[in-house]
Each structure stands twice: as C-alpha cells, then as structure tokens.
Amino acid sequence: MANVLVIGSGAREHAIAATMLKSPQVTTVYCAPGNPGMKKDQIQIVDIDEMDFPKLVEFAKEHLIDLTFVGPEVPLSKGIVDAFIAARLRVFGPDESAARLESDKNFAKGFMQRNNIPTAKFKTFTDFAAAKHYADELSLPLVVKENGLAAGKGVTIVKDADDLEPTIKTALDKSGEILIEEFLEGEEFSLMLFVGGDKKVVFPISQDHKKIDEGETGPNTGGMGAYSPVPHITQEVLDTTIHEIVDPTMVGLAKEDLEFAGIIYVGCMLTKQGPKVIEYNLRLGDPETQVLLPQLESDFYQMTSDLIDRKLPDIKWQQGDFYLGVVIAAPGYPTSPKQHIALPADLPGNIFYAGVTEEDGKLYSSGGRIFTLYNHASTLECAQAKVYAELSRLDLHEFYYRKDIGFRDL
Ligand code: AMP
Ligand code: GLY
C-alpha cells in the first residue's frame, strides 16, 4: 500500500489528490500546503510551504511517502524535483533544467528552433533600440513577452503603432529581457500529456476560458472554467499536433538530456499553416485538470508510478460524456479579490477547492479563485445545464463566476 504527497494548494492539486485516493493501492494522500476544503475528501493537509524543499523532503521521509506529485510551476522552476531525487525519493515532475522550457521563454524558443518545432518567428532583446528596430520589421499586430514566469500576465499583443514603444519600454523595465514575436492568427487549443522518458499518455483535449468576462473579454486570469472533450478540435488536428509537435518535442528532450517523468502541456495555435506552439508548460493546467482527471477510469497512482519507471501504463478513459467545470472567484479578481467571504454551508461534493481558509469549522474565501464545481453528461449542453443549475441553487451572490463556460462548442 502506498502513501502519496501532492505539492500545491489549488483546485488542480485537490483534483490530483482526490484522483490518487481513488487508487486501490493508495492509503493516505497528503497535500502540502493544501487547503482546508480538501479535508472533505479525506486528504490530509500538511502545513509546509511549497517552496520549503528541505522540510518537504524531511516530511516525505518521515511519513514513508512512496510518490510525490508536484502541481505548480514555481517550485518546479526552483528545483523541487532535484531536491527529492537527491534524497532518493520518487517524484513526478521535471527537474530544474527541463522546467526551463516553461520558466524561460527564450530557452523554450531556442529549443523549438533547434528541434524544428513550428512556432512564431521571434527574437530576444535586452536593448530598446534593437527591439524597436526588429518590431518595425515585423508587421502589426505583434506580441511582446517578458521573459520568466508571469502567471499569464507578461504578454502584450500590440495592435496599434502608438502602443509599440511604451509596451517595449514597460516590458524591458519589468523583466530586463523581452521577446518580440510574430502574431499567430487562429484557434487556440491546448494538449496535455503525461510522459516518462520516451513513453507518453495523451490526455483528452480540454478548453480553458482565460478571460474574466463572458465571451472571452476583459483581463486575463488563471482560468475561469473548462470543458472536455472539445468537439471543434478534430482527431485530425490532434494527430497532426502529435506528429509535428509532440514527437519532435520528446526527441528533442532526449537529445538535449532533458528527459523526465511529468507533464508536457503544449499551448498551441491552429494557424492556416497548421498547429504552432505558443508556449510549453511543464505542469497540469488549472482549471483543465478539474475536468480531465475525473475522466480517468484506470489507476492514477499506477500510471504516474509506471511513468517514473519509464514504463508505458495501461490507461482507460471514460467514453461518451462531456465534463465541464466553472470556477467560482471572489469579486475583484484578478486585480484585488475581496477576502473573507463565507462560503455557503450546503456545498455539494463535486467541488475542488482552491483559495479557502477555515474558521470554527466554516470555510471562508482567501484568494482569487475559490473553487471549481464540475459535472458531466452525455452532451456538452446537458453538462453545462447541470453545472449552472447546481450553482443557481447555491447562495453565491457574493461571488463571481462566468455564465458561458463551454460557449464555443454550443
Ligand atoms: P503565453 O503566456 O505565452 O501563453 O501567452 C499568453 C496568451 O497570449 C496566449 O494564451 C495567447 O492567447 C496569446 N499569445 C501569446 N503568444 C502569441 C502569439 N505569438 N500570437 C498570438 N497570440 C499569442
Ligand atoms: N489554465 C491555464 C494554465 O493553467 O496555464
């Protein structure tokens, strides 16, 4: 029997931990630091910060943890996996050198170039005049990106010539190094896979909703809802993406001595010339995970464990149903979410919690995204109707959520 440790505290980590607990091999799942909403699913929360690697390693040794699953990008980019491997602990996630594919956009673009992976034309700059000169060569719109992890915020699409100089200046001031990129036109989609060296498990396609307001308007957020599968992304597009993007990525990882056991999440644009990579993430998406993991019918612990051993796991997905999840946020999110709002007492079980604290046995909001409520049905329309019917029965008038999750395929 196995003990599992999940690192992180959001609804994504709640979904990971809950899915681990479904494995007949798993007795206890800990989550550090976790959140008190997870306790409803018998997940043991552990008061250790996700960046305190020595304490996490010590905890894993003391509690005889068989497998640690790292959720978020920041500890990955700072080498949490290296710390666990050095302590001879089994861990699922990329080490620091591979995590650069997410944390260092310049490195990621260089990797794509070296391995002939289709992506937008770009150059990197630390100097204003050179950046402006290159931008003048490209036609508008174009994209200015700050290098580094910016939680979806360091990217500006410049449409108007007047905005070009100030955007370049601000981005350079903020991060010191910027990328200027050709604008890719098309339909955005993402593909997630679990890998272990050269073995891969491709997940169903999911669609995130990144903007705060309905119809994909307003500022970017971490993600306001998701559904899966996604009918408008066809099997043919999926096959092309695997052939032209995923396979060369995995060959490149092996060639550059970066192979690992963990997640590759490719953000793609389906352009007229075919799919191109916008970015790599080396972790699961949030809220995509909340509609993906509930679809896994086989043993999640066995799957991750096999991939750590570089073995191809046996996988079974549910067939035929659509899964849809809506993120409930605090008003004021993403800029200044209002804190300490009491959650309704009668919340159902089909919820993954994120920004919540507990006082006297009651849950209160403490953050931007508070929880994801999800459900499934044989059509996307029914799945959507079910989720919104449940939400409308709850007293959520102090919270905010989008009413149109799934709209692109309805
Ligand atoms: P990133 O942080 O690189 O994923 O960028 C955030 C968002 O900006 C993406 O999800 C896209 O919607 C958009 N974006 C980034 N790069 C491009 C590009 N080259 N062309 C068009 N849109 C882009
Ligand atoms: N939902 C987008 C992300 O996790 O990056």
Side-chain angles (χ1 to χ4, degrees), residues 186-243:
E187 180 80 41
E188 211 172 327
F189 70 100
S190 51
L191 178 62
M192 273 175 242
L193 36 144
F194 276 57
V195 299
D198 63 349
K199 306 296 187 295
K200 65 172 186 278
V201 174
V202 179
F203 269 48
I205 299 264
S206 56
Q207 174 80 54
D208 185 13
H209 299 60
K210 283 190 179 154
K211 305 282 197 231
I212 188 77
D213 292 320
E214 273 129 39
E216 279 307 287
T217 55
N220 249 334
T221 70
M224 296 303 293
Y227 63 97
S228 172
V230 182
H232 75 265
I233 302 296
T234 60
Q235 185 63 39
E236 193 190 341
V237 170
L238 181 58
D239 292 343
T240 311
T241 307
I242 289 172
H243 181 68

Side-chain angles (χ1 to χ4, degrees), residues 105 143 145 155 181-184 188 210 278-279:
K105 291 187 199 295
V143 186
K145 295 187 177 183
V155 176
E181 234 179 64
E182 158 201 21
F183 177 78
L184 297 177
E188 211 172 327
K210 283 190 179 154
I278 296 173
E279 63 164 353

Side-chain angles (χ1 to χ4, degrees), residues 101 111-112 115-120 184 189-191 193 200 237-253 264-271 273-280:
L101 276 185
F111 174 88
M112 289 182 242
N115 294 289
N116 293 316
I117 295 161
T119 186
L184 297 177
F189 70 100
S190 51
L191 178 62
L193 36 144
K200 65 172 186 278
V237 170
L238 181 58
D239 292 343
T240 311
T241 307
I242 289 172
H243 181 68
E244 289 176 10
I245 291 172
V246 170
D247 291 341
T249 297
M250 293 182 66
V251 170
L253 287 172
I264 303 179
Y265 160 163
V266 207
C268 297
M269 190 72 85
L270 182 56
T271 70
Q273 299 96 46
K276 294 190 180 181
V277 178
I278 296 173
E279 63 164 353
Y280 289 114

